[in-house]
């Protein structure tokens, strides 16, 4: 066994409500037809965080991410309340990254300006497409004009760290249409673009009523052409679906580098390392917003009343758990991260790693754990080697 150490710590905050549930969405999001219980939910988040605060083990937060759902349905005052409490209760690193997901059509200029004043310093805007027909096919509540306005509004509010979320492989989408979305996004000079293919997930409307998606050859052409277009514009692909020519997403990097994170809110997940106990575990919170708000009682073995379950990551699980994250990164992770963040020797990856090296799917270097360009194209096959 190797020395297990405390990695950096992030905080994920889940806001579970949306104006309308999208037909492709399998996240824990719930359509709300009534006024949101904003103040009550923030009260619950504060209590949830207080119950988990000891898990920080003296670390300050390197990043916070408000996800959903649609966090931009909440007021800046509400967002500010939980940020103020997190800073007092746990503490912030001086250069903390604080990201809020926002969907076009759910905010106005004043709200964006106020988000910035509360300390939010990065926005992730769920554009998905700038084409009206694609937005309609995806069941989005906004149109192309609202998408364009959202980006302009964010810039005028003072945000200089902006991610635009774009999907490709949409129903009936052509190569030209996909490239037009990228070109429109590039016209705003974003610092970061998340560009990922639409997948049909279980427990979604699209799973039960699948739309007609582009054929495999078209999907491959879109993927290749989009990568070339973004690269030519100065973006570096540092993760499977993430491109940056400004700051990389620090919060997501912490996930991919097998860091720790607290998760508060309905259905939120966390991952925590406790070196003295030689323990790494995942914890998840009560999923349904109504039950979460009803001051739930957790199982007797769990200290947090909002927790619904907990799972220890055993020695046998850790190699795959680490690689599921690290191999998504184009450059992978330093090899010593594996030992310090799993407590295992690097030899725990053998003999599978050697077999993957011989197939040129992973890098031969002992300095980094990374997939080759070929390995990233067949990442499921690489990971499957460890899941058999």
């Amino acid at each position: 066994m190797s020395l297990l150490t405390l990695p950096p710590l992030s905080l994920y905050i889940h806001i579970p409500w949306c104006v309308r549930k999208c037909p492709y969405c399998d996240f824990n999001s719930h359509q709300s037809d009534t006024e949101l219980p904003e103040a009550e939910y923030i009260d619950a988040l504060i209590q949830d965080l207080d119950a988990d605060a000891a898990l920080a083990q003296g670390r300050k937060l390197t990043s916070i991410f408000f996800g959903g759902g649609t966090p931009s349905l909440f007021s800046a005052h509400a967002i500010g309340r939980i940020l103020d409490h997190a800073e007092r209760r746990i503490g912030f690193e001086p250069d903390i990254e604080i990201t809020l997901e926002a969907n076009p059509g759910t905010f106005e200029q004043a709200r964006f300006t106020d988000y910035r004043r509360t300390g939010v310093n990065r926005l992730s805007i769920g554009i998905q497409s700038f084409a009206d027909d694609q937005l309609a096919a995806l069941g989005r509540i906004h149109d192309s004009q609202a998408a364009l306005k959202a980006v302009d509004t964010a810039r005028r509010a003072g945000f200089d760290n902006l991610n635009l979320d774009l999907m490709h492989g949409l129903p009936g989408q052509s190569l030209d249409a996909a490239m037009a979305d990228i070109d429109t996004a590039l016209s705003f000079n974003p610092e970061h673009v998340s560009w990922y293919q639409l997948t049909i997930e279980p427990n979604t409307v699209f799973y039960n009523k699948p739309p007609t998606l582009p054929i495999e050859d078209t999907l491959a052409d879109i993927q290749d052409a989009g990568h070339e277009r973004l690269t030519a514009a100065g973006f570096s692909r540092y993760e499977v679906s993430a491109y940056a020519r400004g700051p990389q997403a620090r919060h997501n990097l912490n996930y991919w580098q097998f860091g720790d994170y607290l998760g508060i809110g309905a259905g939120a997940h966390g991952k925590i390392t406790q070196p003295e106990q030689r323990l790494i575990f995942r914890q998840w919170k009560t999923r349904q917003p109504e039950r979460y708000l009803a001051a739930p009682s957790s199982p007797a073995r769990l200290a947090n009343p909002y927790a619904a379950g907990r799972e220890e990551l055993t020695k046998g699980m850790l190699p795959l758990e680490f690689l599921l994250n690290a191999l998504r990164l184009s450059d992978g992770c330093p090899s010593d991260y594996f030992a310090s963040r799993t407590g295992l020797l690097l030899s725990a990856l053998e003999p599978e790693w050697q077999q993957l090296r011989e197939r040129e799917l992973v890098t031969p270097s002992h300095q980094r754990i990374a997939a080759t360009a070929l390995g990233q194209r067949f990442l499921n096959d690489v990971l499957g080697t460890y899941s058999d």
Side-chain angles (χ1 to χ4, degrees):
M1 297 289 284
S2 184
L3 179 64
L4 187 64
T5 61
L6 278 175
L9 180 68
S10 297
L11 172 63
Y12 175 75
I13 302 173
H14 192 72
I15 310 293
W17 292 283
C18 284
V19 175
R20 183 169 65 209
K21 180 84 170 180
C22 295
Y24 58 85
C25 179
D26 68 336
F27 296 147
N28 183 33
S29 59
H30 303 264
Q31 182 170 319
S32 178
D33 299 318
T34 60
E35 184 176 350
L36 296 178
E38 182 179 273
E40 294 84 354
Y41 193 74
I42 297 297
D43 288 342
L45 288 176
I46 287 172
Q47 295 176 59
D48 191 353
L49 183 62
D50 285 346
D52 273 357
L55 299 176
Q57 301 167 84
R59 291 170 291 180
K60 294 183 179 181
L61 296 170
T62 62
S63 67
I64 297 175
F65 194 99
F66 289 89
T70 306
S72 52
L73 291 175
F74 270 31
S75 69
H77 173 73
I79 299 299
R81 277 189 65 204
I82 187 61
L83 287 178
D84 288 345
H85 188 78
E87 185 171 20
R88 289 194 306 270
R89 194 71 172 83
I90 298 179
F92 292 176
E93 292 291 350
D95 59 348
I96 187 171
E97 172 195 272
I98 302 176
T99 303
L100 182 116
E101 287 186 333
N103 285 337
T106 63
F107 53 80
E108 63 284 332
Q109 178 69 49
R111 178 171 289 196
F112 261 26
T113 301
D114 289 342
Y115 286 146
R116 188 71 186 87
R117 289 172 180 161
T118 67
V120 175
N121 54 26
R122 183 175 184 269
L123 277 184
S124 180
I125 303 182
I127 300 294
Q128 314 312 354
S129 176
F130 288 99
D132 285 331
D133 59 336
Q134 297 294 346
L135 291 169
L138 291 173
R140 302 293 288 177
I141 65 168
H142 68 273
D143 60 15
S144 58
Q145 289 303 306
L148 296 169
K149 182 180 178 182
V151 185
D152 180 63
T153 298
R155 288 301 196 200
R156 286 189 287 112
F159 284 97
D160 56 5
N161 192 356
L162 192 62
N163 172 63
L164 301 184
D165 245 14
L166 289 178
M167 298 175 71
H168 61 88
L170 307 181
Q173 188 179 49
S174 66
L175 173 60
D176 287 345
M179 294 307 98
D181 275 345
I182 289 181
D183 289 341
T184 302
L186 292 177
S187 71
F188 288 100
N189 296 312
E191 288 69 35
H192 193 282
V193 174
S194 297
W195 192 62
Y196 51 94
Q197 184 176 319
L198 170 65
T199 57
I200 307 300
E201 303 289 352
N203 303 314
T204 64
V205 172
F206 275 179
Y207 186 80
N208 295 317
K209 297 180 179 179
T212 301
L213 301 180
I215 61 174
E216 288 297 324
D217 286 349
T218 301
L219 292 174
D221 289 344
I222 289 173
Q223 179 70 55
D224 292 343
H227 175 72
E228 291 177 6
R229 190 73 56 95
L230 287 161
T231 301
F235 282 82
S236 172
R237 183 186 186 184
Y238 69 97
E239 188 269 342
V240 170
S241 58
Y243 292 78
R245 63 179 175 191
Q248 297 179 357
R250 190 181 309 163
H251 188 85
N252 289 341
L253 277 175
N254 194 41
Y255 289 156
W256 296 324
Q257 293 173 344
F258 214 54
D260 277 359
Y261 50 96
L262 300 172
I264 62 172
H269 285 237
K271 175 243 169 190
I272 293 296
T273 303
Q274 294 181 317
E276 292 185 3
Q277 292 86 358
R278 298 203 61 81
L279 176 66
I280 302 173
F281 67 90
R282 297 193 186 282
Q283 178 175 263
W284 54 94
K285 303 301 172 58
T286 300
R287 183 177 177 85
Q288 291 297 323
E290 295 80 7
R291 290 188 59 201
Y292 181 85
L293 283 167
S297 178
S298 70
R301 70 184 188 282
L302 302 177
N304 187 330
Y306 293 89
R310 171 172 159 160
E311 178 187 30
E312 179 180 345
L313 299 183
T314 65
K315 181 179 177 181
M317 297 165 64
L318 283 168
L320 178 59
E321 288 285 336
F322 184 90
L323 295 176
L324 276 169
N325 293 281
L327 295 187
R328 291 185 62 89
L329 293 168
S330 299
D331 293 333
C333 284
S335 295
D336 59 5
Y337 278 24
F338 181 77
S340 64
R341 298 186 180 187
T342 67
L344 302 177
L345 296 174
L346 199 57
S347 58
L349 294 177
E350 301 293 356
E352 293 88 351
W353 197 257
Q354 177 59 34
Q355 296 167 7
L356 293 168
R357 276 199 297 262
E358 292 171 357
R359 296 165 58 192
E360 299 183 348
L361 296 173
V362 297
T363 58
S365 171
H366 294 291
Q367 301 302 311
R368 301 195 70 81
I369 295 173
T372 62
L374 179 64
Q376 286 225 319
R377 290 186 73 94
F378 297 97
L379 197 53
N380 287 339
D381 293 337
V382 173
L383 296 171
T385 305
Y386 288 89
S387 61
D388 293 341

